[in-house]
Amino acid sequence: MIHQFETVIIGSGGAGLYAALEASKNSNTAVLSKLYPIRSHTGAAQGGISAALGNVEEDKPEWHAFDTVKGGDYLVDQKAASILAEEAIQAVYDLENRGLPFNRTPEGRIDQRRFGGHTRNFGEGPVRRACYAADRTGHMILQTLYQQCIKNEVSFFDEFQVVDLILEGTKCSGVVVVELATGKLHIFSAKAVLFATGGFGRMFKITSNAYANSGDGPAVCARRGIPLEDMEFFQFHPTGIKGLGILISEAVRGEGGILRNRDGERFMEEYSPTLLDLAPRDIVARSMLTEVRNGMGIRGDRQIDDYLHLDATHLGKDTLMKKLPDISEFCKTYLGIDPADDPIPVLPTAHYAMGGIPTDEHGRVILDNKGTIVDGLYAAGECACVSVHGANRLGTNSLLDLVVFGRRAGKHIAQYAKGADGVKVDESAADEARQWIEQITDGSEGPHGGHITDEMQTTMMEKVGIYRNEKEMQEAVDEIQDLRNRYRDVRVQDTSSTFNTDLLEIIELGNLLDLSLLTAASALDRKESRGAHSREDYPERDDDNFLKHSLAYLEEDTVRLDYKDVDTSIWEPKPRTY
Ligand SMILES: Cc1cc2nc3c(=O)[nH]c(=O)nc-3n(C[C@H](O)[C@H](O)[C@H](O)COP(=O)(O)OP(=O)(O)OC[C@H]3O[C@@H](n4cnc5c(N)ncnc54)[C@H](O)[C@@H]3O)c2cc1C
């Protein structure tokens, strides 16, 4: 079946919904989502959204932009970071006007709290920049935007999973989709297609990400010849619940929580004398691992699963209930402890993809280092790389990225889709996807997808994790290639057509394997340490050779790497100290 829209948006998280709100003002817009919209991962975001409102203490967009660039270890495109910081203020007020219930100061203004790497006056000390709705900020954003989209009569296709992109040369004309309820293939033909499919933390064994975060958008694009940018940079959040990876928001440290080792010492005093526990995440995660390796974890056995304590006991029950109610509940449910009485056992957890589909500042997808645009194809949110996060994202800058660049992409689409010519697509556009699905559901015997998932996640966690080296990353590339070969023979065990989640998980696994390969290959090629990419064999940042974005092309069984300049037009790269 072929559906015709002017604009098709894939994903109903914060980025997709904001883009839909803008695009639908001027074009006939559909949103496709494999999940029911408000189950998108944006709804799990806890701590806040940054904007230099200056409501609680002096702040400026210029300081915010600088922190973003420095936090990203100078791999950030600086004009894009300035747009992010400047448009943040209006973006937050727009959310407020659309009904988002932010926490308030006693005077009734939007309250703000501290988050890692956000400073006043170019690094002098921490500043309160994160606007928040308790520890349910993402949930509130998602609800607010979804209501507005319903009001604007955006067409929603819930539980529709995109499996292929239709490209003719450098022009995009639609997507191929499986409908979960029936197993039927649909074609959505459109003048403009926007990917907003979120992150892919499920490459790793221990992650804060939802099961649905399998990077479908970037993988579908990569298989159609679009490069993925800066894939080697994957953020590990310092505070996941030990063993589970469930996130304990940085807001706990923003409100005064302290990381402690087995002697009860506040070890961040040693690693980051100015920002302490609120140093950027790459630095805190590495410091934690160093403590564990030095035998200062809580057990003290130097094993990689040894952990540390996040101490929030001094914050008091009242603050915890008012400002961090969900976190308190998580601790009770998953650990059987009350953070008002006991410290929380934590370890870094795979959290956020800095890399993704390369775009310009209007969300238009770029094909190469000359900036060639793919007509009609857009990306925004965590699946995209604009690049405002560089080598390491600051906390609360992702929700902001969704809103600022989701909106910019939506506005650009609204103009583009009116002017562009319609494209004719016929049923044959779904042939490749159909053949593939018929093959994996033919009922024959094959390896079990679950085992491959397990091996992939373990390899990525152990060999392309926080600390990396040549030998292990080469092993990871080889192992992932081997898993990709085995994957070709995987067969779906459940051959029914209604709600066949077995089939969809196998398609997702294929996406994760492709992204794992691109990540490991990009990491192997970057022979320096920068932001979240930390190499034991190349411990220094090397601006002479590596102050550049990587572009990784998936070419059948190999990865071809190219590079692209970083925009350093405002601040000259300097060593990072905090
Ligand atoms: C636990 C947690 C807490 C966080 N807290 C914060 C925070 O406090 N502040 C902050 O700034 N950031 C935070 N982040 C990061 C931030 O929430 C995410 O980066 C952001 O929400 C991603 O939004 P998105 O719109 O790009 O995608 P998502 O919200 O992940 O949505 C993806 C959408 O794409 C759809 N989709 C995916 N694949 C397909 C497909 N094949 N076909 C159809 N639809 C598809 C899904 O159904 C979904 O609707 C947090 C992340 C996590 C995991």
Side-chain angles (χ1 to χ4, degrees):
M1 186 192 285
I2 300 183
H3 308 256
Q4 192 84 44
F5 284 90
E6 285 174 315
T7 302
V8 166
I9 286 170
I10 303 140
S12 55
L17 292 182
Y18 220 123
L21 263 185
E22 292 296 337
S24 62
K25 286 183 186 161
N26 203 27
S27 70
N28 181 11
T29 301
V31 174
L32 316 183
S33 175
K34 68 177 178 182
L35 301 172
Y36 185 70
I38 48 177
R39 290 177 58 95
S40 304
H41 193 68
T42 297
Q46 302 167 356
I49 174 167
S50 50
L53 303 182
N55 278 358
V56 190
E57 54 192 336
E58 190 190 4
D59 200 2
K60 296 178 182 172
E62 202 191 354
W63 298 350
H64 184 181
F66 174 77
D67 289 341
T68 302
V69 168
K70 182 177 169 189
D73 220 349
Y74 292 91
L75 199 76
V76 171
D77 285 333
Q78 298 188 359
K79 198 165 145 239
S82 296
I83 291 173
L84 181 82
E86 276 158 24
E87 295 188 7
I89 295 174
Q90 194 54 46
V92 165
Y93 287 136
D94 280 353
L95 287 171
E96 182 188 34
N97 293 340
R98 289 180 195 276
L100 199 149
F102 284 110
N103 276 42
R104 302 277 159 186
T105 64
E107 306 78 46
R109 297 204 207 149
I110 295 175
D111 197 10
Q112 299 190 272
R113 63 181 164 208
R114 289 176 178 169
F115 248 80
H118 291 279
T119 71
R120 76 184 126 75
N121 205 15
F122 308 103
E124 272 180 15
V127 74
R128 293 172 203 277
R129 186 175 287 148
C131 312
Y132 63 100
D135 51 3
R136 304 181 184 118
T137 314
H139 174 87
M140 296 305 183
I141 290 179
L142 207 53
Q143 299 284 342
T144 304
L145 294 177
Y146 187 51
Q147 287 163 8
Q148 296 287 324
C149 282
I150 297 288
K151 175 170 148 263
N152 287 9
E153 298 182 346
V154 172
S155 303
F156 279 91
F157 292 83
D158 300 340
E159 301 185 327
F160 276 63
Q161 184 156 338
V162 171
V163 292
D164 202 0
L165 170 67
I166 309 171
L167 271 189
E168 279 150 38
T170 56
K171 191 168 173 64
C172 169
S173 47
V175 284
V176 182
V177 187
V178 181
E179 181 182 1
L180 270 73
T182 62
K184 285 207 178 79
L185 274 183
H186 296 248
I187 290 172
F188 282 77
S189 151
K191 295 179 187 174
V193 168
L194 176 122
F195 278 98
T197 56
F200 34 93
R202 286 279 150 190
M203 288 191 303
F204 296 94
K205 189 99 197 148
I206 302 278
T207 176
S208 65
N209 281 202
Y211 279 93
N213 287 15
S214 51
D216 302 354
V220 160
C221 289
R223 286 197 292 270
R224 289 286 169 201
I226 290 160
L228 298 185
E229 182 173 345
D230 291 342
M231 290 296 281
E232 59 273 42
F233 298 103
F234 204 95
Q235 177 169 86
F236 281 74
H237 191 295
T239 55
I241 292 181
K242 164 183 120 56
L244 299 174
I246 294 169
L247 192 76
I248 299 294
S249 172
E250 197 169 285
V252 175
R253 282 172 285 141
E255 294 293 348
I258 294 170
L259 286 163
R260 298 189 189 282
N261 63 19
R262 61 175 311 164
D263 290 346
E265 288 164 352
R266 186 180 200 176
F267 56 87
M268 284 309 298
E269 283 173 350
E270 192 184 324
Y271 302 94
S272 174
T274 311
L275 294 188
L276 302 164
D277 302 85
L278 287 175
R281 291 174 180 171
D282 56 331
I283 295 174
V284 180
R286 275 195 296 276
S287 308
M288 290 169 75
L289 236 67
T290 306
E291 287 293 298
V292 166
R293 286 176 168 191
N294 291 343
M296 293 306 288
I298 302 303
R299 287 198 312 262
D301 57 12
R302 300 172 198 259
Q303 297 299 310
I304 50 164
D305 65 339
D306 197 6
Y307 59 96
L308 291 142
H309 275 151
L310 174 58
D311 182 4
T313 52
H314 53 290
L315 302 185
K317 275 196 197 308
D318 199 41
T319 301
L320 286 167
M321 275 330 292
K322 275 202 196 112
K323 295 190 165 174
L324 301 160
D326 275 6
I327 293 298
S328 303
E329 277 309 310
F330 291 166
C331 290
K332 287 174 196 156
T333 307
Y334 298 106
L335 294 162
I337 61 165
D338 184 340
D341 302 324
D342 294 299
I344 311 166
V346 289
L347 256 188
T349 180
H351 184 61
Y352 184 85
M354 267 75 74
I357 307 166
T359 73
D360 70 2
E361 290 138 21
H362 302 291
R364 292 183 295 183
V365 172
I366 291 167
L367 198 54
D368 53 32
N369 57 13
K370 293 189 244 5
T372 308
I373 301 281
V374 184
D375 274 334
L377 185 60
Y378 294 77
E382 189 170 339
C383 74
C385 180
V386 44
S387 137
V388 288
H389 309 304
N392 171 63
R393 170 175 75 83
L394 292 189
T396 67
N397 266 357
S398 172
L399 289 178
L400 181 60
D401 175 7
L402 311 181
V403 177
V404 167
F405 289 99
R407 182 169 62 167
R408 287 176 76 89
K411 277 190 196 292
H412 200 276
I413 287 174
Q415 293 304 318
Y416 173 86
K418 271 292 158 225
D421 296 331
V423 202
K424 222 166 160 39
V425 178
D426 62 42
E427 292 282 354
S428 67
D431 283 353
E432 274 187 47
R434 185 173 297 110
Q435 277 160 18
W436 166 236
I437 290 172
E438 277 170 8
Q439 186 190 322
I440 51 179
T441 51
D442 69 4
S444 62
E445 288 284 308
H448 194 278
H451 299 308
I452 297 183
T453 308
D454 227 37
E455 287 179 46
M456 170 193 71
Q457 291 175 333
T458 304
T459 294
M460 291 300 286
M461 195 78 197
E462 290 177 358
K463 297 180 175 171
V464 199
I466 295 180
Y467 281 113
R468 302 167 169 185
N469 61 58
E470 173 107 15
K471 179 175 165 289
E472 288 183 348
M473 284 190 292
Q474 186 58 58
E475 285 168 10
V477 168
D478 297 342
E479 285 165 25
I480 299 289
Q481 286 288 27
D482 180 48
L483 293 172
R484 286 173 85 235
N485 287 334
R486 278 165 55 197
Y487 174 77
R488 294 200 177 100
D489 298 325
V490 166
R491 292 291 179 273
V492 172
Q493 323 263 308
D494 169 6
T495 50
S496 71
S497 48
T498 50
F499 286 101
N500 190 338
T501 50
D502 193 13
L503 169 66
L504 297 168
E505 278 172 21
I506 284 178
I507 294 174
E508 290 172 348
L509 169 59
N511 295 335
L512 286 169
L513 283 168
D514 286 348
L515 298 186
S516 296
L517 180 67
L518 289 160
T519 302
S522 305
L524 189 58
D525 214 52
R526 184 174 284 277
K527 296 184 172 62
E528 63 155 356
S529 289
R530 182 187 297 273
H533 176 66
S534 186
R535 288 193 58 153
E536 291 162 315
D537 43 357
Y538 296 95
E540 302 300 324
R541 195 175 87 191
D542 177 0
D543 284 348
D544 290 342
N545 294 305
F546 285 101
L547 183 58
K548 53 189 185 183
H549 298 291
S550 63
L551 292 176
Y553 294 80
L554 188 65
E555 294 184 338
E556 290 292 320
D557 283 335
T558 56
V559 176
R560 178 170 64 85
L561 279 156
D562 203 352
Y563 288 92
K564 184 169 98 125
D565 290 342
V566 179
D567 165 16
T568 54
S569 53
I570 307 174
W571 293 286
E572 202 187 314
K574 294 219 175 82
R576 271 196 325 169
T577 49
Y578 283 99

